[in-house]
């Protein structure tokens, strides 16, 4: 149980930090505005995505219902998959494509650990 808890918090912490940083950067760094133009996205999408990342990062660490947490995980998964596809379609170098894949894997670890912890906690409450 202790290993599961450590795996959950380390992986979730990494995702939260990445999303907080990227969400803030999307809203404040001109270089990212140019990056979104390079990928062919409109400017407002960068703002929407930045705000969504900040909200999602907070929702991963505060007590919310399981349904809300599931949507946060799904939203982040869509974000990482879409980032990989966008970078691949625009012909970006492998370094730009591999980051989203790595963070998707870390998100998968966080999600799997959260599900396993939830099931374990439910069993102990019933017993």
């Amino acid at each position: 149980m202790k290993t599961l808890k450590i795996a959950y918090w380390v992986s979730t912490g990494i995702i939260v930090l990445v999303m907080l940083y990227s969400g803030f950067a999307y809203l404040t760094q001109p270089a990212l505005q140019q990056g979104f133009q390079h990928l062919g996205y409109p400017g407002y999408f960068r703002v929407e995505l930045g705000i969504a990342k900040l909200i999602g990062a907070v929702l991963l660490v505060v007590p919310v219902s399981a349904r809300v947490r599931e949507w946060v995980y799904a939203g982040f998964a869509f974000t990482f998959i879409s980032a990989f596809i966008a970078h691949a379609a625009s012909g970006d170098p492998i370094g730009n494509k591999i980051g989203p894949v790595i963070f998707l894997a870390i998100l998968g670890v966080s999600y799997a650990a959260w599900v396993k912890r939830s099931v374990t906690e439910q069993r102990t409450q019933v017993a």
Side-chain angles (χ1 to χ4, degrees), residues 4 8 70 73 109-121:
L4 183 63
Y8 170 75
E70 290 273 351
Y73 277 114
V109 170
S110 173
Y111 179 73
W114 172 70
V115 168
K116 190 158 179 110
R117 283 183 65 205
S118 297
V119 169
T120 304
E121 287 174 5

Side-chain angles (χ1 to χ4, degrees), residues 12-67:
T12 303
I14 291 169
I15 294 300
V16 167
L17 289 174
V18 165
M19 290 299 162
L20 287 174
Y21 170 76
S22 64
F24 181 74
Y26 282 12
L27 299 173
T28 61
Q29 293 184 5
L32 286 173
Q33 183 175 5
Q34 294 169 346
F36 269 73
Q37 288 174 347
H38 162 73
L39 294 173
Y41 291 122
Y44 64 83
F45 182 63
R46 174 184 51 83
V47 175
E48 290 174 354
L49 193 55
I51 292 168
K53 285 183 172 195
L54 293 172
I55 292 169
V58 170
L59 290 176
L60 272 187
V61 294
V62 299
V64 294
S65 71
R67 182 169 295 188

Side-chain angles (χ1 to χ4, degrees), residues 69-112:
R69 195 169 301 270
E70 290 273 351
W71 277 103
V72 172
Y73 277 114
F76 284 166
F78 294 144
T79 300
F80 292 135
I81 293 166
S82 296
F84 171 78
I85 292 169
H87 288 293
S90 68
D92 285 347
I94 190 72
N96 292 22
K97 296 178 225 175
I98 198 72
V101 174
I102 291 169
F103 290 118
L104 180 62
I106 295 170
L107 182 72
V109 170
S110 173
Y111 179 73

